[in-house]
């Protein structure tokens, strides 16, 4: 029963995101912000599209990695528990829900 509910909810969110008018295209700049993201997906993925649409962003034409549910890494050696990446992630604009152009941090 719960799997059916999650499929319905996901379908509704995707439909709403697709029905929303196009938003602004976020700028893609050199990543400078160390972030801990729950996941990193392609900008063409449905998950990235749904979150971007809810934030009024248009990812059409972008082909960059997108971080979802990100928070800044402020201390080196911080135990991220997710995926450590460097992104173009202005927290003040998107509240940590999405980060653009995420590149894995390698030691």
């Amino acid at each position: 029963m719960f799997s059916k509910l999650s499929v319905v909810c996901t379908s509704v969110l995707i439909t709403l995101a697709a029905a929303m008018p196009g938003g602004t295209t976020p700028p893609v700049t050199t990543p400078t912000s160390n972030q801990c993201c729950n996941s990193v997906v392609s900008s063409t993925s449905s998950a990235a599209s749904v979150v971007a649409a809810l934030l009024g962003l248009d990812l059409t034409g972008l082909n960059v990695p997108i971080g979802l549910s990100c928070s800044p890494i402020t201390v080196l050696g911080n135990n991220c528990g997710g995926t450590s990446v460097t992104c173009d992630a202005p927290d003040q604009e998107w509240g940590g829900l999405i980060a653009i152009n995420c590149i894995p941090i390698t030691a």
Side-chain angles (χ1 to χ4, degrees):
M1 177 167 146
F2 289 111
S3 63
K4 288 180 183 179
L5 180 61
S6 73
V7 169
V8 169
C9 289
T10 301
S11 298
V12 168
L13 284 175
I14 291 171
T15 302
L16 287 173
M20 293 180 74
T24 59
T25 301
V28 177
T29 61
T30 303
T32 57
S33 176
N34 291 338
Q35 299 283 317
C36 179
C37 299
N38 284 349
S39 62
V40 177
V41 298
S42 168
S43 57
T44 60
S45 75
S46 60
S49 296
V50 168
V51 174
L54 292 172
L55 294 171
L57 300 174
D58 181 7
L59 301 180
T60 305
L62 293 182
N63 189 16
V64 295
I66 302 292
L68 300 176
S69 297
C70 301
S71 60
I73 297 174
T74 56
V75 178
L76 291 176
N78 184 3
N79 184 6
C80 173
T83 303
S84 297
V85 290
T86 300
C87 303
D88 176 20
D91 292 324
Q92 65 276 12
E93 289 183 46
W94 303 318
L97 294 175
I98 195 168
I100 307 296
N101 199 20
C102 296
I103 299 170
I105 296 174
T106 56

